[in-house]
Amino acid sequence: MSEIQIAPSVLSADFSAMGEEIISLEQSGADLLHCDVMDGVFVPNITFGIKMVADMYKRTSLPLDCHLMIVEPQKYVAEFAKAGATYITVHYEACRENLKEILRLIRSCGCKAGAVINPDTPTSVLQEVLPDCDMVLLMSVFPGFGGQKYIQSVTEKIKEVKRMVEQSGLPIDIEVDGGITLDNVAEVKAAGANIIVAGSTVFSAENRGKVIAELRSKGL
Ligand code: DX5
Ligand code: ZN
């Protein structure tokens, strides 16, 4: 679980050229493709949905990491699974008392299940759902937009989740999403993250391969 994986967020891609963008990310050494699904209700932005994920799946063998920023995600889990999602992550803030059940639904559809918490949600809400998680995703910005600044207080939360996962003895990935750059990635990894999401850092780079390799190796 400690091997570092880089998950570029296609939120920063040119949506009108998604096929080429995916090929470029694959050739640049991405480990996963992070797909930000937004509904304009759970977050104040709209991106794409099931059809985009299904079309991406036809273009790549990379695992698709589907981050659902939508209300009532349980309604769409089976369709995202059918579309080719490898991971489906759902927000505690969207699921509340149904989180455990929805994580189990994700697994029953053959996908890896992840629970996501916003920067202002305590890590304690994760404790009872850890056995139902393949991944925990910690937001280090408030979800909705790429290019925001990393919220420093999240580093401590990564350490807390790392301790919780270690104590559980379960093989759970720790992913961090939002504002990760070459300047703070070492800190994020040192705190315990093993999957690093990067949108603007990858897409603003002249050489995507170089920046993905640097994100992976920094601080090791
Ligand atoms: C924000 C999304 C992120 C975003 C990250 O709501 O969940 O995945 O694309 O973008 P950067 O790396 O630019 O903060
Ligand atoms: Zn995301």
Side-chain angles (χ1 to χ4, degrees), residues 99-125:
L99 181 58
K100 195 178 228 341
E101 193 186 317
I102 297 171
L103 292 166
R104 288 181 175 174
L105 170 66
I106 294 169
R107 280 183 166 174
S108 76
C109 291
C111 296
K112 294 187 182 182
V116 193
I117 58 170
N118 277 344
D120 59 352
T121 298
T123 58
S124 55
V125 304

PDB file of all heavy atoms in Angstrom, residues 99-125:
ATOM      1  N   LEU A  99     -23.390   5.892   4.578  1.00  0.00           N
ATOM      2  CA  LEU A  99     -22.069   5.706   3.969  1.00  0.00           C
ATOM      3  C   LEU A  99     -21.643   4.241   3.912  1.00  0.00           C
ATOM      4  O   LEU A  99     -21.209   3.745   2.873  1.00  0.00           O
ATOM      5  CB  LEU A  99     -21.023   6.548   4.726  1.00  0.00           C
ATOM      6  CG  LEU A  99     -19.594   6.466   4.194  1.00  0.00           C
ATOM      7  CD1 LEU A  99     -19.502   6.884   2.724  1.00  0.00           C
ATOM      8  CD2 LEU A  99     -18.648   7.350   5.035  1.00  0.00           C
ATOM      9  N   LYS A 100     -21.804   3.541   5.028  1.00  0.00           N
ATOM     10  CA  LYS A 100     -21.358   2.142   5.093  1.00  0.00           C
ATOM     11  C   LYS A 100     -22.064   1.292   4.019  1.00  0.00           C
ATOM     12  O   LYS A 100     -21.436   0.557   3.259  1.00  0.00           O
ATOM     13  CB  LYS A 100     -21.673   1.596   6.491  1.00  0.00           C
ATOM     14  CG  LYS A 100     -20.969   0.303   6.830  1.00  0.00           C
ATOM     15  CD  LYS A 100     -21.336  -0.096   8.238  1.00  0.00           C
ATOM     16  CE  LYS A 100     -20.232  -0.483   9.159  1.00  0.00           C
ATOM     17  NZ  LYS A 100     -18.952  -0.863   8.727  1.00  0.00           N
ATOM     18  N   GLU A 101     -23.347   1.480   3.979  1.00  0.00           N
ATOM     19  CA  GLU A 101     -24.172   0.730   3.023  1.00  0.00           C
ATOM     20  C   GLU A 101     -23.762   1.040   1.570  1.00  0.00           C
ATOM     21  O   GLU A 101     -23.704   0.145   0.728  1.00  0.00           O
ATOM     22  CB  GLU A 101     -25.606   1.206   3.277  1.00  0.00           C
ATOM     23  CG  GLU A 101     -26.715   0.426   2.675  1.00  0.00           C
ATOM     24  CD  GLU A 101     -28.022   1.193   2.951  1.00  0.00           C
ATOM     25  OE1 GLU A 101     -28.209   1.681   4.092  1.00  0.00           O
ATOM     26  OE2 GLU A 101     -28.807   1.310   2.015  1.00  0.00           O
ATOM     27  N   ILE A 102     -23.462   2.308   1.296  1.00  0.00           N
ATOM     28  CA  ILE A 102     -23.101   2.697  -0.080  1.00  0.00           C
ATOM     29  C   ILE A 102     -21.715   2.145  -0.435  1.00  0.00           C
ATOM     30  O   ILE A 102     -21.492   1.682  -1.558  1.00  0.00           O
ATOM     31  CB  ILE A 102     -23.199   4.226  -0.263  1.00  0.00           C
ATOM     32  CG1 ILE A 102     -24.662   4.663  -0.041  1.00  0.00           C
ATOM     33  CG2 ILE A 102     -22.707   4.652  -1.638  1.00  0.00           C
ATOM     34  CD1 ILE A 102     -24.896   6.166   0.017  1.00  0.00           C
ATOM     35  N   LEU A 103     -20.796   2.142   0.539  1.00  0.00           N
ATOM     36  CA  LEU A 103     -19.473   1.544   0.279  1.00  0.00           C
ATOM     37  C   LEU A 103     -19.627   0.054  -0.035  1.00  0.00           C
ATOM     38  O   LEU A 103     -18.969  -0.493  -0.928  1.00  0.00           O
ATOM     39  CB  LEU A 103     -18.560   1.741   1.487  1.00  0.00           C
ATOM     40  CG  LEU A 103     -18.138   3.197   1.749  1.00  0.00           C
ATOM     41  CD1 LEU A 103     -17.536   3.329   3.144  1.00  0.00           C
ATOM     42  CD2 LEU A 103     -17.152   3.675   0.686  1.00  0.00           C
ATOM     43  N   ARG A 104     -20.525  -0.599   0.687  1.00  0.00           N
ATOM     44  CA  ARG A 104     -20.765  -2.037   0.436  1.00  0.00           C
ATOM     45  C   ARG A 104     -21.386  -2.251  -0.940  1.00  0.00           C
ATOM     46  O   ARG A 104     -21.057  -3.209  -1.631  1.00  0.00           O
ATOM     47  CB  ARG A 104     -21.656  -2.620   1.531  1.00  0.00           C
ATOM     48  CG  ARG A 104     -20.889  -2.734   2.835  1.00  0.00           C
ATOM     49  CD  ARG A 104     -21.732  -3.322   3.931  1.00  0.00           C
ATOM     50  NE  ARG A 104     -20.914  -3.512   5.114  1.00  0.00           N
ATOM     51  CZ  ARG A 104     -21.373  -3.906   6.290  1.00  0.00           C
ATOM     52  NH1 ARG A 104     -22.665  -4.181   6.437  1.00  0.00           N
ATOM     53  NH2 ARG A 104     -20.561  -4.057   7.307  1.00  0.00           N
ATOM     54  N   LEU A 105     -22.260  -1.332  -1.322  1.00  0.00           N
ATOM     55  CA  LEU A 105     -22.867  -1.412  -2.660  1.00  0.00           C
ATOM     56  C   LEU A 105     -21.775  -1.307  -3.741  1.00  0.00           C
ATOM     57  O   LEU A 105     -21.771  -2.053  -4.721  1.00  0.00           O
ATOM     58  CB  LEU A 105     -23.892  -0.268  -2.821  1.00  0.00           C
ATOM     59  CG  LEU A 105     -24.458  -0.046  -4.216  1.00  0.00           C
ATOM     60  CD1 LEU A 105     -25.315  -1.242  -4.655  1.00  0.00           C
ATOM     61  CD2 LEU A 105     -25.307   1.237  -4.248  1.00  0.00           C
ATOM     62  N   ILE A 106     -20.834  -0.378  -3.536  1.00  0.00           N
ATOM     63  CA  ILE A 106     -19.749  -0.198  -4.513  1.00  0.00           C
ATOM     64  C   ILE A 106     -18.962  -1.497  -4.659  1.00  0.00           C
ATOM     65  O   ILE A 106     -18.708  -1.968  -5.770  1.00  0.00           O
ATOM     66  CB  ILE A 106     -18.823   0.970  -4.079  1.00  0.00           C
ATOM     67  CG1 ILE A 106     -19.587   2.301  -4.120  1.00  0.00           C
ATOM     68  CG2 ILE A 106     -17.574   1.027  -4.964  1.00  0.00           C
ATOM     69  CD1 ILE A 106     -18.859   3.471  -3.461  1.00  0.00           C
ATOM     70  N   ARG A 107     -18.613  -2.095  -3.536  1.00  0.00           N
ATOM     71  CA  ARG A 107     -17.871  -3.366  -3.604  1.00  0.00           C
ATOM     72  C   ARG A 107     -18.704  -4.461  -4.265  1.00  0.00           C
ATOM     73  O   ARG A 107     -18.171  -5.264  -5.026  1.00  0.00           O
ATOM     74  CB  ARG A 107     -17.439  -3.799  -2.208  1.00  0.00           C
ATOM     75  CG  ARG A 107     -16.199  -3.062  -1.721  1.00  0.00           C
ATOM     76  CD  ARG A 107     -15.784  -3.600  -0.375  1.00  0.00           C
ATOM     77  NE  ARG A 107     -14.438  -3.183  -0.010  1.00  0.00           N
ATOM     78  CZ  ARG A 107     -13.893  -3.427   1.172  1.00  0.00           C
ATOM     79  NH1 ARG A 107     -14.571  -4.073   2.113  1.00  0.00           N
ATOM     80  NH2 ARG A 107     -12.662  -3.031   1.430  1.00  0.00           N
ATOM     81  N   SER A 108     -19.986  -4.466  -3.986  1.00  0.00           N
ATOM     82  CA  SER A 108     -20.833  -5.527  -4.557  1.00  0.00           C
ATOM     83  C   SER A 108     -20.949  -5.380  -6.075  1.00  0.00           C
ATOM     84  O   SER A 108     -21.288  -6.333  -6.768  1.00  0.00           O
ATOM     85  CB  SER A 108     -22.220  -5.528  -3.914  1.00  0.00           C
ATOM     86  OG  SER A 108     -22.999  -4.469  -4.427  1.00  0.00           O
ATOM     87  N   CYS A 109     -20.655  -4.184  -6.588  1.00  0.00           N
ATOM     88  CA  CYS A 109     -20.666  -3.962  -8.038  1.00  0.00           C
ATOM     89  C   CYS A 109     -19.299  -4.268  -8.649  1.00  0.00           C
ATOM     90  O   CYS A 109     -19.080  -4.028  -9.841  1.00  0.00           O
ATOM     91  CB  CYS A 109     -21.054  -2.519  -8.346  1.00  0.00           C
ATOM     92  SG  CYS A 109     -22.760  -2.128  -7.968  1.00  0.00           S
ATOM     93  N   GLY A 110     -18.368  -4.739  -7.836  1.00  0.00           N
ATOM     94  CA  GLY A 110     -17.062  -5.159  -8.354  1.00  0.00           C
ATOM     95  C   GLY A 110     -16.021  -4.066  -8.377  1.00  0.00           C
ATOM     96  O   GLY A 110     -14.951  -4.243  -8.967  1.00  0.00           O
ATOM     97  N   CYS A 111     -16.292  -2.934  -7.758  1.00  0.00           N
ATOM     98  CA  CYS A 111     -15.324  -1.827  -7.743  1.00  0.00           C
ATOM     99  C   CYS A 111     -14.656  -1.710  -6.386  1.00  0.00           C
ATOM    100  O   CYS A 111     -15.135  -2.261  -5.392  1.00  0.00           O
ATOM    101  CB  CYS A 111     -16.024  -0.509  -8.049  1.00  0.00           C
ATOM    102  SG  CYS A 111     -16.729  -0.452  -9.696  1.00  0.00           S
ATOM    103  N   LYS A 112     -13.533  -0.969  -6.380  1.00  0.00           N
ATOM    104  CA  LYS A 112     -12.908  -0.629  -5.107  1.00  0.00           C
ATOM    105  C   LYS A 112     -13.654   0.580  -4.534  1.00  0.00           C
ATOM    106  O   LYS A 112     -13.970   1.514  -5.269  1.00  0.00           O
ATOM    107  CB  LYS A 112     -11.437  -0.289  -5.308  1.00  0.00           C
ATOM    108  CG  LYS A 112     -10.632  -1.496  -5.764  1.00  0.00           C
ATOM    109  CD  LYS A 112      -9.158  -1.177  -5.784  1.00  0.00           C
ATOM    110  CE  LYS A 112      -8.372  -2.366  -6.289  1.00  0.00           C
ATOM    111  NZ  LYS A 112      -6.923  -2.115  -6.275  1.00  0.00           N
ATOM    112  N   ALA A 113     -13.911   0.533  -3.221  1.00  0.00           N
ATOM    113  CA  ALA A 113     -14.736   1.552  -2.595  1.00  0.00           C
ATOM    114  C   ALA A 113     -13.894   2.539  -1.805  1.00  0.00           C
ATOM    115  O   ALA A 113     -12.984   2.140  -1.071  1.00  0.00           O
ATOM    116  CB  ALA A 113     -15.749   0.884  -1.663  1.00  0.00           C
ATOM    117  N   GLY A 114     -14.233   3.821  -1.948  1.00  0.00           N
ATOM    118  CA  GLY A 114     -13.513   4.845  -1.187  1.00  0.00           C
ATOM    119  C   GLY A 114     -14.466   5.810  -0.515  1.00  0.00           C
ATOM    120  O   GLY A 114     -15.498   6.180  -1.079  1.00  0.00           O
ATOM    121  N   ALA A 115     -14.096   6.220   0.711  1.00  0.00           N
ATOM    122  CA  ALA A 115     -14.850   7.244   1.435  1.00  0.00           C
ATOM    123  C   ALA A 115     -14.051   8.537   1.380  1.00  0.00           C
ATOM    124  O   ALA A 115     -12.840   8.530   1.613  1.00  0.00           O
ATOM    125  CB  ALA A 115     -15.048   6.816   2.882  1.00  0.00           C
ATOM    126  N   VAL A 116     -14.733   9.633   1.066  1.00  0.00           N
ATOM    127  CA  VAL A 116     -14.084  10.947   0.945  1.00  0.00           C
ATOM    128  C   VAL A 116     -14.581  11.859   2.051  1.00  0.00           C
ATOM    129  O   VAL A 116     -15.790  11.875   2.336  1.00  0.00           O
ATOM    130  CB  VAL A 116     -14.447  11.657  -0.387  1.00  0.00           C
ATOM    131  CG1 VAL A 116     -13.514  12.844  -0.631  1.00  0.00           C
ATOM    132  CG2 VAL A 116     -14.471  10.712  -1.556  1.00  0.00           C
ATOM    133  N   ILE A 117     -13.659  12.644   2.631  1.00  0.00           N
ATOM    134  CA  ILE A 117     -14.112  13.686   3.566  1.00  0.00           C
ATOM    135  C   ILE A 117     -13.553  15.048   3.153  1.00  0.00           C
ATOM    136  O   ILE A 117     -12.430  15.167   2.668  1.00  0.00           O
ATOM    137  CB  ILE A 117     -13.775  13.379   5.049  1.00  0.00           C
ATOM    138  CG1 ILE A 117     -12.275  13.186   5.259  1.00  0.00           C
ATOM    139  CG2 ILE A 117     -14.586  12.192   5.564  1.00  0.00           C
ATOM    140  CD1 ILE A 117     -11.875  13.118   6.746  1.00  0.00           C
ATOM    141  N   ASN A 118     -14.382  16.054   3.357  1.00  0.00           N
ATOM    142  CA  ASN A 118     -13.996  17.435   3.078  1.00  0.00           C
ATOM    143  C   ASN A 118     -12.989  17.928   4.127  1.00  0.00           C
ATOM    144  O   ASN A 118     -12.859  17.330   5.196  1.00  0.00           O
ATOM    145  CB  ASN A 118     -15.254  18.327   3.108  1.00  0.00           C
ATOM    146  CG  ASN A 118     -16.000  18.279   1.785  1.00  0.00           C
ATOM    147  OD1 ASN A 118     -15.471  17.839   0.778  1.00  0.00           O
ATOM    148  ND2 ASN A 118     -17.248  18.744   1.805  1.00  0.00           N
ATOM    149  N   PRO A 119     -12.320  19.047   3.833  1.00  0.00           N
ATOM    150  CA  PRO A 119     -11.301  19.546   4.767  1.00  0.00           C
ATOM    151  C   PRO A 119     -11.829  19.832   6.169  1.00  0.00           C
ATOM    152  O   PRO A 119     -11.069  19.777   7.138  1.00  0.00           O
ATOM    153  CB  PRO A 119     -10.824  20.843   4.095  1.00  0.00           C
ATOM    154  CG  PRO A 119     -11.117  20.657   2.652  1.00  0.00           C
ATOM    155  CD  PRO A 119     -12.363  19.822   2.581  1.00  0.00           C
ATOM    156  N   ASP A 120     -13.120  20.145   6.299  1.00  0.00           N
ATOM    157  CA  ASP A 120     -13.650  20.482   7.641  1.00  0.00           C
ATOM    158  C   ASP A 120     -14.432  19.337   8.286  1.00  0.00           C
ATOM    159  O   ASP A 120     -15.125  19.555   9.284  1.00  0.00           O
ATOM    160  CB  ASP A 120     -14.517  21.750   7.568  1.00  0.00           C
ATOM    161  CG  ASP A 120     -15.695  21.606   6.616  1.00  0.00           C
ATOM    162  OD1 ASP A 120     -15.766  20.579   5.902  1.00  0.00           O
ATOM    163  OD2 ASP A 120     -16.540  22.514   6.579  1.00  0.00           O
ATOM    164  N   THR A 121     -14.309  18.145   7.745  1.00  0.00           N
ATOM    165  CA  THR A 121     -14.974  16.985   8.365  1.00  0.00           C
ATOM    166  C   THR A 121     -13.936  16.198   9.156  1.00  0.00           C
ATOM    167  O   THR A 121     -12.849  15.914   8.637  1.00  0.00           O
ATOM    168  CB  THR A 121     -15.607  16.082   7.265  1.00  0.00           C
ATOM    169  OG1 THR A 121     -16.605  16.848   6.584  1.00  0.00           O
ATOM    170  CG2 THR A 121     -16.233  14.830   7.850  1.00  0.00           C
ATOM    171  N   PRO A 122     -14.240  15.853  10.404  1.00  0.00           N
ATOM    172  CA  PRO A 122     -13.237  15.129  11.213  1.00  0.00           C
ATOM    173  C   PRO A 122     -12.996  13.704  10.713  1.00  0.00           C
ATOM    174  O   PRO A 122     -13.915  13.057  10.193  1.00  0.00           O
ATOM    175  CB  PRO A 122     -13.856  15.118  12.616  1.00  0.00           C
ATOM    176  CG  PRO A 122     -15.311  15.314  12.410  1.00  0.00           C
ATOM    177  CD  PRO A 122     -15.481  16.128  11.161  1.00  0.00           C
ATOM    178  N   THR A 123     -11.785  13.237  10.910  1.00  0.00           N
ATOM    179  CA  THR A 123     -11.426  11.884  10.455  1.00  0.00           C
ATOM    180  C   THR A 123     -12.179  10.809  11.247  1.00  0.00           C
ATOM    181  O   THR A 123     -12.295   9.681  10.788  1.00  0.00           O
ATOM    182  CB  THR A 123      -9.910  11.649  10.604  1.00  0.00           C
ATOM    183  OG1 THR A 123      -9.556  11.853  11.978  1.00  0.00           O
ATOM    184  CG2 THR A 123      -9.106  12.591   9.729  1.00  0.00           C
ATOM    185  N   SER A 124     -12.700  11.175  12.407  1.00  0.00           N
ATOM    186  CA  SER A 124     -13.394  10.184  13.247  1.00  0.00           C
ATOM    187  C   SER A 124     -14.595   9.561  12.536  1.00  0.00           C
ATOM    188  O   SER A 124     -14.970   8.427  12.835  1.00  0.00           O
ATOM    189  CB  SER A 124     -13.842  10.832  14.560  1.00  0.00           C
ATOM    190  OG  SER A 124     -14.623  11.976  14.286  1.00  0.00           O
ATOM    191  N   VAL A 125     -15.196  10.271  11.562  1.00  0.00           N
ATOM    192  CA  VAL A 125     -16.369   9.704  10.866  1.00  0.00           C
ATOM    193  C   VAL A 125     -15.976   8.472  10.038  1.00  0.00           C
ATOM    194  O   VAL A 125     -16.833   7.708   9.612  1.00  0.00           O
ATOM    195  CB  VAL A 125     -17.096  10.732   9.948  1.00  0.00           C
ATOM    196  CG1 VAL A 125     -17.511  11.971  10.720  1.00  0.00           C
ATOM    197  CG2 VAL A 125     -16.255  11.110   8.729  1.00  0.00           C
TER     198      VAL A 125
END
